[in-house]
Each structure stands twice: as structure tokens, then as C-alpha cells.
Amino acid sequence: VKLNVNTGQATGFSAPGVTGGGRIYIDPQGKYLWLDVRVRGQQGLSAGRIDIASGTFETFTPPLGMSTGFQIQMAPDSRGNVWLASQHGGIHLNPSTKLFRFFPDATLQDGMTYGMATDSRGNGWLAKYGADKIGFVDIETGKASEIEMRPPWLKTDEDVLTPSDREAYAKLGVGTWGGINQVPGRQAPRRLNYDAKADVIWGANNH
């Protein structure tokens, strides 16, 4: 539903074949409304797109076997493409050609991508919830890298971990393969957003 805040007029948009959905996103040009949807007869999430001018609705479903498909958050870019969060990386969709491309994480961890954002250059930014990292994909080169979320001073001045703690965390895969982040010092980055005016990525964390 589109609500005119000045007149109170509500305009409905239909999504045929959809059994459910949740989050909505407007592309930077204001031309399309993107939303995560569940398509009747299909497993997992698909990306739904509504042309705001015509009301035309379309769905885009990543091919089976492309990681675990689409999860949690998407990010339309200024070029008309969209990034989809996925396990162990991010999925890039060109809706004009219907081409899906999967970009794996730079390092091996539990793989959980909670948030997804894209900047003005069309690059992908990924919130790695269990690994305390922000992933980055250069869309031009396809190269992936990562930024540690843990503040540098926690490694020295405020580090409360004992050698026994560190040994136990290593065995449990804390911050790596174990998907465990509910321990002292963890950030647990969640959803991301991009401020185009400042050229800054914002991220919410769990703690």
C-alpha cells in the first residue's frame, strides 16, 4: 500500500502468486519497490519487484544450489540491480538480464549474512553476524574482502579474556565456524544501510 501523507489517499498494489512477505525497499531512483516474498509452490525467499508507475509485479528467484538462496535483507543499487544476502556470501541480481551471480565470503566462517547494503558504485556490503565482520565485494573485480568489527582496544586495554577463555572459544568456533557471538566483546552486526550523501555504510549491532 502506498499512502499519500498529505491527502491520506491509499493506493494498493497486488502481488499475484505470493503467499507472504515482509520487508520493503525503494530503489534510489524511486522507480521500483522491492520486497522479499514467498512464491506459492517454491521454497525459500524470492525478490519481488513492483513498478510503482504501472503496478506491474515480477519475482526473481535465485537458482537452486546458489548457496542457500536469499535470506533476510536485500539492497537495490543506483544502477537498477539488487544485492541479496545469502549464506557464505552475497547474491547480485541484474533484473534486466535476470542474471544471478554469487560472490563468496573472503574467509571461511559460519557464513551467516544478516544484513546487506550497496553503495553508489554498486559494490556489496555484508554483515557477517557470527563472525563480527563486514564483508565487501568489489562489483567491478569480483574481489571480496572483510573488515573486523572488533574495536582495536579490546585486543589490549579492555580485553577480559583469559588464556583458558581463548582456548575454549577456539574449540567452540566463536567468531569463526561455530556461529557463536553471545560472548564478551562481540559486536554481532545485523542490518546495514547506506547514506549516499555522506558515502557511509551504517550497521546496527546486537550489543
Side-chain angles (χ1 to χ4, degrees):
V1 174
K2 180 175 73 172
L3 178 66
N4 186 314
V5 296
N6 295 311
T7 66
Q9 179 182 355
T11 305
F13 292 84
S14 62
V18 169
T19 61
R23 306 163 191 88
I24 59 174
Y25 310 85
I26 303 290
D27 75 345
Q29 294 81 15
K31 184 178 180 180
Y32 295 108
L33 177 73
W34 287 90
L35 57 160
D36 57 73
V37 297
R38 295 191 181 277
V39 178
R40 187 176 294 111
Q42 293 183 355
Q43 293 184 344
L45 288 174
S46 296
R49 187 182 73 172
I50 296 174
D51 185 310
I52 296 174
S54 67
T56 304
F57 177 72
E58 235 182 319
T59 59
F60 304 85
T61 305
L64 289 175
M66 183 170 279
S67 187
T68 55
F70 170 33
Q71 64 182 32
I72 304 180
Q73 188 177 16
M74 71 172 76
D77 70 16
S78 59
R79 303 179 180 186
N81 304 315
V82 64
W83 282 92
L84 312 174
S86 187
Q87 196 76 354
H88 298 292
I91 297 173
H92 183 266
L93 163 65
N94 181 329
S96 297
T97 62
K98 295 182 171 57
L99 175 65
F100 287 90
R101 290 191 292 164
F102 177 70
F103 294 90
D105 294 329
T107 61
L108 181 63
Q109 358 118 354
D110 78 307
M112 171 65 167
T113 307
Y114 202 114
M116 192 83 227
T118 182
D119 57 33
S120 60
R121 295 162 290 281
N123 300 313
W125 295 84
L126 303 80
K128 307 307 298 183
Y129 183 73
D132 268 11
K133 295 179 179 180
I134 299 297
F136 171 75
V137 177
D138 185 316
I139 191 60
E140 298 299 333
T141 66
K143 184 178 179 180
S145 57
E146 292 171 339
I147 300 169
E148 291 277 354
M149 288 289 290
R150 191 167 186 245
W153 59 84
L154 283 180
K155 296 179 180 179
T156 53
D157 297 349
E158 298 179 15
D159 194 346
V160 298
L161 301 182
T162 67
S164 296
D165 290 332
R166 294 190 184 90
E167 182 180 359
Y169 288 1
K171 290 180 179 179
L172 293 170
V174 172
T176 53
W177 53 266
I180 301 170
N181 57 20
Q182 303 295 322
V183 295
R186 307 306 294 180
Q187 301 296 305
R190 293 164 68 93
R191 290 184 179 84
L192 304 177
N193 215 327
Y194 175 62
D195 180 347
K197 185 175 181 180
D199 198 21
V200 167
I201 296 288
W202 286 88
N205 65 12
N206 211 37
H207 308 297

